[in-house]
Structures are given as structure tokens and as C-alpha cells.
Amino acid sequence: MDAQLSLTVDGTVHSLTVDTRTTLLDALRERLGVISPKKGCDHGQCGSCTVLLDGRRHLTCLALAVAYDGAEIVTADGLAADGLHPVQQAFLDQDGYQCGYCTPGQVCSAVGMLDELKEGHPSHVTEDLVGEIEPSEVEVRERMSGNLCRCGAYPGILAAVCEAARG
Amino acid sequence: MRELEYLRPDSAAAAVAAVADRPGARFLGGGTNLVDHLKLGVASPELLVDISRLPLTDVEAYDGPDGSWLRIGTNVRNSDLAAHPVVRSRFPAVARALLAGASGQLRNQATTGGNLLQRTRCVYFQDVTTPCNKRDPGSGCSALEGYGRYNAILGASPECVTTHPSDLAVALTAMDAVVVVLGPEGERRVPIEELYRLPGDRPELDTVLAPSDLVTAVELPSAAANEHATYTKVRDRASFAFALVSVAASLDLAGGVVQDVRLAWGGVAHKPWRARRAEAALRDRPFDEDALRAAIDEELADATTTDQTASKVPMVRNATTMTLLRLAEEAAR
Ligand SMILES: Cc1cc2nc3c(=O)[nH]c(=O)nc-3n(C[C@H](O)[C@H](O)[C@H](O)COP(=O)(O)OP(=O)(O)OC[C@H]3O[C@@H](n4cnc5c(N)ncnc54)[C@H](O)[C@@H]3O)c2cc1C
Ligand code: SF4
Ligand code: FES
Ligand code: FES
């Protein structure tokens, strides 16, 4: 079955017709030519397909495009529309990548994660569920665990996200 | 993947009717499990009925004839539930269990009902080239002889030895949560302990729900014990991994004597395992480590293990001991 939908991606509105089985990731990459989100595992396990969807970090591989009609999506590419986003600058400053494949997902995840921290959301490693939260290294590691890096650039990624968290 | 129709009804009743009308129809929540299963060929519905935009998103307290409850709409996302101020302060085990599950992105997407009804992570269940009684009844169970580190140690059957993967479900089991279900005949309330099944000779059924039963909400009873509660998860890596075993526990002590204790285990059975025998052995008695270990061993008396699961016995014993001792310490402060 085909379905019609509209997606706003990095500020541009797109209308498209997709087979209902198309994932959001395939719709972005194959249909709209938006190749910043990457296909790593295609099963929710690596985070490389992460975007900001209606303002929150979200995978696109375990999502059917048809279910996201009307969504507003920002990719790592779109974050740089008016110059580098502070998180992207921090990745440059701290050498937060090697091959770069996981990087767009890491960047979107970090941006979404920093908002969650700002809103005071606790994590698995937060000692006091109702207290103030320090954006410590331990917190950042836990909160970024949904993004794998096959090159193992974790020390740089961690340093970059911590730099961005300190603002 | 087979041809797929998609429907987004604008009410819960319409969603239930749409699934009841079509044998090949399934509800779609956040999709983090079902979309994976479409790709793997584990599920091949003809019609997806998308319920993820139904306005079942409130978290609200209400007083009923049997006390006060916190009602959580099924479309509350796992991340929002874990961050909810009332859940954090009054049901810490629920917040902890959610935060121990999956990743930040997945929790933003996963719904409350979808989390409870996610299917097993047994590697053979997910691999359509291998026999699996749960996926393909009567085909056999590959996990009996194969990879079995995540297999059950309690309540398994020769037909299926897998475990339930949800962390949230374990916490809800310790809290005596109730699942609100809308079916073609109307609404009913199912205590979570009655929701899940042991595999027996029908391993294809995870729960007592029919395909057209829609989970609309989960309700948590207010109880002192639920406030002094926590969740411990033992896994292969520090984050983003399913449980080998897990423990949801709450403890209410007065003068060193157990007033109330609730204990549920994850990773040990086809359903979250409420450790009622251990609870009974502890209740109304002085609390100390020896009594605690003896009570846990009573619950584990019927455990059956293989070379691959033998480690789960000391794992769950020690994790439970540690968790309850910590709760007792906190209560003493
Ligand atoms: C890489 C990875 C790691 C994970 N790690 C963990 C973990 O550590 N701990 C953990 O607990 N979980 C973990 N999960 C599982 C995750 O929590 C579940 O996939 C998620 O909670 C399912 O929710 P959903 O809304 O996306 O469900 P969906 O995928 O939409 O649905 C799941 C099932 O429930 C049915 N359904 C959905 N909503 C309803 C409803 N309201 N009423 C009736 N039926 C319904 C669907 O038909 C389907 O059968 C992990 C998942 C992935 C991909
Ligand atoms: S343990 Fe259950 S789910 Fe796993 S292969 Fe056997 S029947 Fe299938
Ligand atoms: S491609 Fe989506 S999580 Fe790996
Ligand atoms: S930089 Fe190569 S995968 Fe992360």
C-alpha cells in the first residue's frame, strides 16, 4: 500500500508518497537524498540513524515513515545551517571522531541529551532521583550509551560532549 | 516483508474494532519492537493500526474506592514516565527500571503498553531460519541445546525456556500494578501478575490478552512500600544491554521488623517472577542478612539450571540480598 505524507527536514517541507513498509531512515536517505543520518545496524542498536524529531532525539531505523506524517526533523546537517552548532564545534575541538560514520548520530544524540539534562531528567547513574544533576562524565557516558562508535573514538566523543555540556 | 496496510484511527474504540475485524491486524505503538520484527520476518501483519497518536498521554492521580492510584496512559513514552516528578518521588523502582532499559533514543520512542507487550529477545525467536515454538508452534525449541545464557531458571517448560525482556514489567509486578485493557467487549482491569503467562504447552502466548485487546493505561497503587523501592539490573555491560537477572524490591521496616516487602525478579522466567514465597518468609519477622538469604533460597528451591544458566542462581541471590540490605540501610537513615 502507498501512503502520502509530508515531512519537514532541516527546514524544507517535502511531500512524498511511500510504500507503507518504508522506514523513516530509508525515506530520508533514498527518497529525499538526506544522507546525514547513517544506516549502521538498522535494528536500533547503534544510534547512527539518530535525528531530532519534533525536538527530541529519535532513531529513524525502527520507525515507519507513514507513522511520522507531519513530523519536523532536524539532522546533523541541519544543525549547521547557520554555522556549526556548539556540539559540532566541540567534536572538532576534541577530535570526537575517526571515520565519521557514527558522528551525525552522535551529534544529534548529544544535542537531544543536553536538553534532557537541562530539563533535569535523571539517568540510570543518577544517585538522587529528585535532586539536582551534575553533567559529570559518568552521566554523559550513560546518557550516550545508545550511540556506538566502531572506531572506538569514545575518549574524544566523551570530551566533546562534556565540553558542550559545560557550555 | 509482506504488503502492509496502515490505519490511524482517531479513537481507542475504533482501533480495537479495526484489529478485531481483521485476523492479520496488529497495534503499532512506538514501533521499536514491532518494526524490528517486520524487518526480521518475525511478525508479518497485513494491517497496522497505529495507536501512537491517540491522546492516551496523561499521568494523573485519582482516588478510587480501593485507595489512590496513579494512572498512566499507554502513550506516555518511557523517557517521560521516568522523568515524571510523581514517579520519581513515589515510585522510584519504576523510574529506575525504565532508566535501566534500552537507550535514550529508544526510551523517547517506546510507549508504556508497547514496553509491556514487547516480545522475547531469545536469539532463535528472532531468527526465522531456526525452529522456535514461540514463533512457529510445534517447530521445536532451539534454545534447549543452543545458546542459553538468557534462558529461564524458573517456571520454564520443555516447549520454551525463554525469559521476558521488559525491565518496566518487573518493577510493575513488585508494585502490584493493574493494566487497563479495552477489548471488543469493553474495558477491564487486569492485575499485572495475571497478565503474563508461563509457557506451558502454549509458548506462543506471552500474555492473557487477545490480539484486539488494547492496553489503554497502567495504574499504580499508592502504598508506603512502593516509595521505599528500587531496581537492580545485572547485565553484560554497564549500559544498553538486556538483563541477565534483575530485582525490583520494596521494603517497609518498623523497629527492625518487616511490615511489608515486595520482590520481583526479571531474567529468570517467561514472566516477571513475583517472589511470594520469599516475601512470606520475611514478612512480620526481624530483618537480617541470614533471614534474607534463607528466604531467597526458599524461592529458588525449584530452580532448574544448565551449564549456561547456573550462574543466574548466585546472581539473583546476591543481587536481591544487596538490594534489600541497601533499602534497609536507607530506611535506617
Ligand atoms: C537495541 C534495543 C535495546 C533494548 N533494550 C531494552 C532493555 O534493556 N530493557 C527493556 O525493557 N527493553 C529494551 N528494549 C525494548 C524496548 O523497551 C521495547 O522495544 C519498547 O518498549 C516497545 O515499545 P513500543 O511502543 O516501541 O512498542 P511496539 O514496537 O510498537 O509494540 C510492541 C508490541 O506491543 C503491541 N502493542 C503496542 N502498544 C500496544 C497497546 N497499547 N496495546 C496492546 N498492544 C500493544 C504491538 O502490537 C507489538 O506486538 C530494547 C530495544 C532495542 C531495539
Ligand atoms: S526458548 Fe522459547 S523463544 Fe527461544 S527458541 Fe525456544 S521456544 Fe523459541
Ligand atoms: S541504524 Fe538505527 S540504531 Fe543502528
Ligand atoms: S568515528 Fe568511525 S564509527 Fe565512530
mmCIF file of all heavy atoms in Angstrom, chain B residues 120 122-126 130-136 140-144 151 158-163 199 203 270, ligand 2:
data_model
loop_
_atom_site.group_PDB
_atom_site.id
_atom_site.type_symbol
_atom_site.label_atom_id
_atom_site.label_comp_id
_atom_site.label_asym_id
_atom_site.label_seq_id
_atom_site.Cartn_x
_atom_site.Cartn_y
_atom_site.Cartn_z
ATOM 1 N N THR B 120 9.962 -11.594 23.376
ATOM 2 C CA THR B 120 11.233 -12.068 23.926
ATOM 3 C C THR B 120 12.411 -11.736 23.021
ATOM 4 O O THR B 120 12.263 -11.604 21.803
ATOM 5 C CB THR B 120 11.202 -13.588 24.160
ATOM 6 O OG1 THR B 120 12.442 -13.981 24.754
ATOM 7 C CG2 THR B 120 11.028 -14.364 22.863
ATOM 8 N N CYS B 122 14.947 -13.835 22.819
ATOM 9 C CA CYS B 122 15.590 -15.127 22.505
ATOM 10 C C CYS B 122 16.131 -15.067 21.071
ATOM 11 O O CYS B 122 15.402 -14.730 20.131
ATOM 12 C CB CYS B 122 14.574 -16.261 22.631
ATOM 13 S SG CYS B 122 15.249 -17.861 22.121
ATOM 14 N N VAL B 123 17.404 -15.394 20.906
ATOM 15 C CA VAL B 123 18.040 -15.224 19.587
ATOM 16 C C VAL B 123 17.366 -16.100 18.525
ATOM 17 O O VAL B 123 17.341 -15.743 17.345
ATOM 18 C CB VAL B 123 19.560 -15.521 19.627
ATOM 19 C CG1 VAL B 123 20.275 -14.449 20.420
ATOM 20 C CG2 VAL B 123 19.861 -16.904 20.187
ATOM 21 N N TYR B 124 16.821 -17.227 18.944
ATOM 22 C CA TYR B 124 16.180 -18.131 17.967
ATOM 23 C C TYR B 124 14.795 -17.618 17.585
ATOM 24 O O TYR B 124 14.369 -17.760 16.444
ATOM 25 C CB TYR B 124 16.126 -19.552 18.522
ATOM 26 C CG TYR B 124 17.502 -20.037 18.884
ATOM 27 C CD1 TYR B 124 17.906 -20.117 20.219
ATOM 28 C CD2 TYR B 124 18.432 -20.335 17.892
ATOM 29 C CE1 TYR B 124 19.188 -20.517 20.549
ATOM 30 C CE2 TYR B 124 19.718 -20.729 18.216
ATOM 31 C CZ TYR B 124 20.097 -20.821 19.549
ATOM 32 O OH TYR B 124 21.370 -21.199 19.867
ATOM 33 N N PHE B 125 14.116 -17.013 18.542
ATOM 34 C CA PHE B 125 12.828 -16.388 18.227
ATOM 35 C C PHE B 125 13.016 -15.329 17.137
ATOM 36 O O PHE B 125 12.177 -15.172 16.242
ATOM 37 C CB PHE B 125 12.245 -15.745 19.497
ATOM 38 C CG PHE B 125 10.953 -15.002 19.272
ATOM 39 C CD1 PHE B 125 9.753 -15.692 19.128
ATOM 40 C CD2 PHE B 125 10.934 -13.610 19.210
ATOM 41 C CE1 PHE B 125 8.556 -15.006 18.919
ATOM 42 C CE2 PHE B 125 9.748 -12.925 19.000
ATOM 43 C CZ PHE B 125 8.561 -13.629 18.856
ATOM 44 N N GLN B 126 14.148 -14.638 17.201
ATOM 45 C CA GLN B 126 14.397 -13.539 16.253
ATOM 46 C C GLN B 126 15.019 -14.014 14.942
ATOM 47 O O GLN B 126 15.237 -13.195 14.045
ATOM 48 C CB GLN B 126 15.302 -12.488 16.902
ATOM 49 C CG GLN B 126 14.659 -11.807 18.101
ATOM 50 C CD GLN B 126 15.549 -10.726 18.684
ATOM 51 O OE1 GLN B 126 15.570 -9.601 18.207
ATOM 52 N NE2 GLN B 126 16.301 -11.062 19.710
ATOM 53 N N THR B 130 15.567 -20.711 12.213
ATOM 54 C CA THR B 130 15.723 -21.746 13.239
ATOM 55 C C THR B 130 14.362 -22.138 13.819
ATOM 56 O O THR B 130 13.445 -21.321 13.842
ATOM 57 C CB THR B 130 16.610 -21.238 14.398
ATOM 58 O OG1 THR B 130 15.986 -20.069 14.959
ATOM 59 C CG2 THR B 130 18.006 -20.878 13.925
ATOM 60 N N PRO B 131 14.222 -23.379 14.308
ATOM 61 C CA PRO B 131 12.984 -23.777 14.964
ATOM 62 C C PRO B 131 12.745 -22.967 16.244
ATOM 63 O O PRO B 131 13.700 -22.677 16.965
ATOM 64 C CB PRO B 131 13.210 -25.258 15.323
ATOM 65 C CG PRO B 131 14.343 -25.706 14.460
ATOM 66 C CD PRO B 131 15.188 -24.495 14.223
ATOM 67 N N CYS B 132 11.497 -22.614 16.490
ATOM 68 C CA CYS B 132 11.126 -21.900 17.718
ATOM 69 C C CYS B 132 9.629 -22.083 17.931
ATOM 70 O O CYS B 132 8.829 -21.655 17.102
ATOM 71 C CB CYS B 132 11.474 -20.416 17.608
ATOM 72 S SG CYS B 132 10.702 -19.404 18.885
ATOM 73 N N ASN B 133 9.273 -22.695 19.045
ATOM 74 C CA ASN B 133 7.853 -22.938 19.337
ATOM 75 C C ASN B 133 7.063 -21.665 19.572
ATOM 76 O O ASN B 133 5.851 -21.630 19.367
ATOM 77 C CB ASN B 133 7.722 -23.817 20.589
ATOM 78 C CG ASN B 133 8.100 -25.258 20.296
ATOM 79 O OD1 ASN B 133 7.850 -25.766 19.200
ATOM 80 N ND2 ASN B 133 8.707 -25.919 21.280
ATOM 81 N N LYS B 134 7.730 -20.630 20.038
ATOM 82 C CA LYS B 134 7.010 -19.381 20.301
ATOM 83 C C LYS B 134 6.638 -18.697 18.990
ATOM 84 O O LYS B 134 5.539 -18.168 18.844
ATOM 85 C CB LYS B 134 7.858 -18.443 21.188
ATOM 86 C CG LYS B 134 7.103 -17.195 21.620
ATOM 87 C CD LYS B 134 7.933 -16.285 22.507
ATOM 88 C CE LYS B 134 7.862 -16.647 23.982
ATOM 89 N NZ LYS B 134 6.479 -16.603 24.532
ATOM 90 N N ARG B 135 7.551 -18.715 18.024
ATOM 91 C CA ARG B 135 7.286 -18.063 16.742
ATOM 92 C C ARG B 135 6.482 -18.969 15.823
ATOM 93 O O ARG B 135 5.584 -18.522 15.099
ATOM 94 C CB ARG B 135 8.636 -17.661 16.101
ATOM 95 C CG ARG B 135 8.546 -17.056 14.734
ATOM 96 C CD ARG B 135 9.884 -16.502 14.244
ATOM 97 N NE ARG B 135 11.077 -17.194 14.699
ATOM 98 C CZ ARG B 135 11.472 -18.381 14.239
ATOM 99 N NH1 ARG B 135 10.796 -19.013 13.308
ATOM 100 N NH2 ARG B 135 12.576 -18.949 14.732
ATOM 101 N N ASP B 136 6.812 -20.262 15.869
ATOM 102 C CA ASP B 136 6.219 -21.215 14.938
ATOM 103 C C ASP B 136 5.846 -22.472 15.746
ATOM 104 O O ASP B 136 6.642 -23.408 15.837
ATOM 105 C CB ASP B 136 7.277 -21.518 13.855
ATOM 106 C CG ASP B 136 6.763 -22.462 12.787
ATOM 107 O OD1 ASP B 136 5.543 -22.728 12.764
ATOM 108 O OD2 ASP B 136 7.600 -22.950 11.985
ATOM 109 N N GLY B 140 9.665 -26.790 17.483
ATOM 110 C CA GLY B 140 10.759 -27.175 18.369
ATOM 111 C C GLY B 140 11.364 -25.963 19.053
ATOM 112 O O GLY B 140 11.023 -24.825 18.722
ATOM 113 N N CYS B 141 12.225 -26.223 20.011
ATOM 114 C CA CYS B 141 12.869 -25.125 20.754
ATOM 115 C C CYS B 141 14.372 -25.217 20.579
ATOM 116 O O CYS B 141 15.017 -26.110 21.122
ATOM 117 C CB CYS B 141 12.505 -25.201 22.233
ATOM 118 S SG CYS B 141 13.448 -24.018 23.221
ATOM 119 N N SER B 142 14.943 -24.266 19.826
ATOM 120 C CA SER B 142 16.386 -24.307 19.556
ATOM 121 C C SER B 142 17.218 -23.945 20.782
ATOM 122 O O SER B 142 18.401 -24.279 20.844
ATOM 123 C CB SER B 142 16.738 -23.329 18.429
ATOM 124 O OG SER B 142 16.019 -23.634 17.262
ATOM 125 N N ALA B 143 16.606 -23.261 21.738
ATOM 126 C CA ALA B 143 17.382 -22.783 22.888
ATOM 127 C C ALA B 143 17.702 -23.895 23.876
ATOM 128 O O ALA B 143 18.575 -23.733 24.732
ATOM 129 C CB ALA B 143 16.628 -21.665 23.592
ATOM 130 N N LEU B 144 16.993 -25.031 23.770
ATOM 131 C CA LEU B 144 17.251 -26.130 24.710
ATOM 132 C C LEU B 144 18.684 -26.616 24.588
ATOM 133 O O LEU B 144 19.352 -26.905 25.576
ATOM 134 C CB LEU B 144 16.283 -27.295 24.440
ATOM 135 C CG LEU B 144 14.848 -27.096 24.916
ATOM 136 C CD1 LEU B 144 13.983 -28.277 24.485
ATOM 137 C CD2 LEU B 144 14.804 -26.912 26.429
ATOM 138 N N ASN B 151 18.395 -17.891 29.219
ATOM 139 C CA ASN B 151 17.248 -18.777 29.468
ATOM 140 C C ASN B 151 16.728 -18.679 30.902
ATOM 141 O O ASN B 151 17.414 -18.213 31.808
ATOM 142 C CB ASN B 151 17.635 -20.229 29.180
ATOM 143 C CG ASN B 151 17.769 -20.501 27.687
ATOM 144 O OD1 ASN B 151 17.553 -19.621 26.861
ATOM 145 N ND2 ASN B 151 18.144 -21.726 27.352
ATOM 146 N N PRO B 158 9.254 -27.699 28.692
ATOM 147 C CA PRO B 158 10.094 -28.275 27.632
ATOM 148 C C PRO B 158 9.830 -27.615 26.279
ATOM 149 O O PRO B 158 10.641 -27.724 25.362
ATOM 150 C CB PRO B 158 9.659 -29.746 27.583
ATOM 151 C CG PRO B 158 8.867 -29.988 28.821
ATOM 152 C CD PRO B 158 8.341 -28.679 29.287
ATOM 153 N N GLU B 159 8.705 -26.892 26.177
ATOM 154 C CA GLU B 159 8.347 -26.233 24.911
ATOM 155 C C GLU B 159 9.078 -24.903 24.723
ATOM 156 O O GLU B 159 9.288 -24.473 23.595
ATOM 157 C CB GLU B 159 6.845 -25.942 24.874
ATOM 158 C CG GLU B 159 5.957 -27.140 25.140
ATOM 159 C CD GLU B 159 5.978 -28.103 23.977
ATOM 160 O OE1 GLU B 159 5.947 -27.627 22.832
ATOM 161 O OE2 GLU B 159 6.050 -29.314 24.228
ATOM 162 N N CYS B 160 9.407 -24.242 25.833
ATOM 163 C CA CYS B 160 10.017 -22.907 25.730
ATOM 164 C C CYS B 160 10.712 -22.547 27.034
ATOM 165 O O CYS B 160 10.135 -22.682 28.108
ATOM 166 C CB CYS B 160 8.952 -21.854 25.403
ATOM 167 S SG CYS B 160 9.595 -20.160 25.303
ATOM 168 N N VAL B 161 11.957 -22.088 26.914
ATOM 169 C CA VAL B 161 12.746 -21.777 28.106
ATOM 170 C C VAL B 161 13.197 -20.312 28.130
ATOM 171 O O VAL B 161 14.149 -19.954 28.826
ATOM 172 C CB VAL B 161 13.991 -22.697 28.184
ATOM 173 C CG1 VAL B 161 13.574 -24.127 28.469
ATOM 174 C CG2 VAL B 161 14.825 -22.634 26.907
ATOM 175 N N THR B 162 12.493 -19.467 27.385
ATOM 176 C CA THR B 162 12.970 -18.090 27.316
ATOM 177 C C THR B 162 12.467 -17.249 28.494
ATOM 178 O O THR B 162 11.674 -17.704 29.315
ATOM 179 C CB THR B 162 12.593 -17.427 25.979
ATOM 180 O OG1 THR B 162 13.420 -16.279 25.791
ATOM 181 C CG2 THR B 162 11.132 -16.980 25.958
ATOM 182 N N THR B 163 12.962 -15.998 28.535
ATOM 183 C CA THR B 163 12.595 -15.066 29.605
ATOM 184 C C THR B 163 11.924 -13.832 29.011
ATOM 185 O O THR B 163 12.085 -13.532 27.837
ATOM 186 C CB THR B 163 13.858 -14.606 30.371
ATOM 187 O OG1 THR B 163 14.837 -14.165 29.422
ATOM 188 C CG2 THR B 163 14.423 -15.741 31.195
ATOM 189 N N PRO B 199 5.072 -20.492 29.990
ATOM 190 C CA PRO B 199 4.938 -21.009 28.619
ATOM 191 C C PRO B 199 4.058 -22.262 28.514
ATOM 192 O O PRO B 199 3.289 -22.386 27.560
ATOM 193 C CB PRO B 199 6.385 -21.322 28.219
ATOM 194 C CG PRO B 199 7.137 -21.483 29.501
ATOM 195 C CD PRO B 199 6.469 -20.572 30.486
ATOM 196 N N PRO B 203 3.521 -21.868 24.277
ATOM 197 C CA PRO B 203 4.550 -20.821 24.403
ATOM 198 C C PRO B 203 4.352 -19.645 23.453
ATOM 199 O O PRO B 203 4.975 -18.598 23.631
ATOM 200 C CB PRO B 203 5.854 -21.560 24.075
ATOM 201 C CG PRO B 203 5.443 -22.731 23.257
ATOM 202 C CD PRO B 203 4.087 -23.136 23.765
ATOM 203 N N HIS B 270 9.649 -16.829 32.081
ATOM 204 C CA HIS B 270 8.851 -16.402 30.931
ATOM 205 C C HIS B 270 8.006 -15.177 31.270
ATOM 206 O O HIS B 270 7.477 -14.500 30.395
ATOM 207 C CB HIS B 270 7.942 -17.581 30.547
ATOM 208 C CG HIS B 270 7.226 -17.455 29.244
ATOM 209 N ND1 HIS B 270 5.896 -17.101 29.157
ATOM 210 C CD2 HIS B 270 7.622 -17.663 27.964
ATOM 211 C CE1 HIS B 270 5.513 -17.104 27.895
ATOM 212 N NE2 HIS B 270 6.539 -17.433 27.151
HETATM 213 S S1 SF4 C 2 13.182 -20.644 24.234
HETATM 214 FE FE1 SF4 C 2 11.121 -20.128 23.502
HETATM 215 S S2 SF4 C 2 11.530 -18.356 22.226
HETATM 216 FE FE2 SF4 C 2 13.525 -19.380 22.428
HETATM 217 S S3 SF4 C 2 13.672 -20.895 20.744
HETATM 218 FE FE3 SF4 C 2 12.732 -21.957 22.470
HETATM 219 S S4 SF4 C 2 10.557 -21.709 22.039
HETATM 220 FE FE4 SF4 C 2 11.554 -20.131 20.851
#
